[in-house]
């Protein structure tokens, strides 16, 4: 009688055994593919953030050069905002992307940039790196 119970017992546990085995294999595969996908997303996001910071840095450098040439070119308020933007760029935690202040600092940089552009009455925008479909629209 024990042999018959063992046969039925193993049959009843067969589904559970396969379920557990499938789960374990899926979990291991998910870890590998999730890590690869996370790396790709991180690289793309890091590139985009670095590119935007570089754009703001170049604008601040140009504005500071204009101020050195003619200190009266911009009002003291605009010069203060440029200095604040410069300080934010210097303090930006590039090596710490998980820092909680990153998004607040980027929002502040964007706001200051728009305020400076509006005060100077210039139309500068950061639209990101042009996509390959936009290549025909680039003019020099």
């Amino acid at each position: 009688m024990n042999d018959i119970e063992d046969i039925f017992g193993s049959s009843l546990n067969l589904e559970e055994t396969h379920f557990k085995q499938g789960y374990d294999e899926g979990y291991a595969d998910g870890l590998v593919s999730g890590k690869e996908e996370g790396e790709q997303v991180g690289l793309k996001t890091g590139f985009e953030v670095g590119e935007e910071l570089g754009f703001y840095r170049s604008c601040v450098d140009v504005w500071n050069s204009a101020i050195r040439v003619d200190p009266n070119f911009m009002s003291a308020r605009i010069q203060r905002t440029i200095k604040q933007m410069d300080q934010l760029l210097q303090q930006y935690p590039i090596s710490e992307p998980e820092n909680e202040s990153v998004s607040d600092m980027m929002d502040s940089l964007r706001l200051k940039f728009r305020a400076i552009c509006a005060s100077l009455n210039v139309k500068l925008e950061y639209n990101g790196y042009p996509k390959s479909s936009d290549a025909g629209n680039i003019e020099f």
Side-chain angles (χ1 to χ4, degrees), residues 59-70:
C59 290
V60 167
D61 289 347
V62 168
W63 292 328
N64 281 330
S65 295
I67 291 169
R68 279 192 295 277
V69 170
D70 182 6

Side-chain angles (χ1 to χ4, degrees), residues 20-130:
K20 173 96 170 91
Q21 183 181 8
Y23 176 84
D24 291 343
E25 289 175 10
Y27 185 81
D29 289 346
L31 283 176
V32 171
S33 65
K35 189 173 186 177
E36 291 169 0
E37 186 178 331
E39 184 177 317
Q40 292 302 315
V41 169
L43 284 171
K44 183 178 183 279
T45 303
F47 178 81
E48 290 170 353
V49 168
E51 185 181 48
E52 187 173 0
L53 290 172
F55 174 78
Y56 295 141
R57 166 54 54 206
S58 64
C59 290
V60 167
D61 289 347
V62 168
W63 292 328
N64 281 330
S65 295
I67 291 169
R68 279 192 295 277
V69 170
D70 182 6
N72 297 321
F73 174 69
M74 297 177 200
S75 70
R77 185 178 57 83
I78 296 173
Q79 289 184 31
R80 232 182 355 264
T81 307
I82 292 170
K83 186 175 181 180
Q84 291 168 351
M85 193 171 172
D86 190 14
Q87 290 170 343
L88 277 173
L89 286 166
Q90 290 175 13
Q91 295 169 355
Y92 194 90
I94 293 173
S95 305
E96 304 171 38
E98 295 171 359
N99 189 325
E100 293 178 9
S101 65
V102 166
S103 64
D104 291 338
M105 290 179 86
M106 188 60 86
D107 289 343
S108 183
L109 280 167
R110 290 175 181 141
L111 184 64
K112 289 185 184 316
F113 175 76
R114 284 193 297 266
I116 293 167
C117 289
S119 297
L120 294 175
N121 200 24
V122 294
K123 287 194 174 225
L124 284 176
E125 285 185 34
Y126 175 74
N127 294 324
Y129 191 75

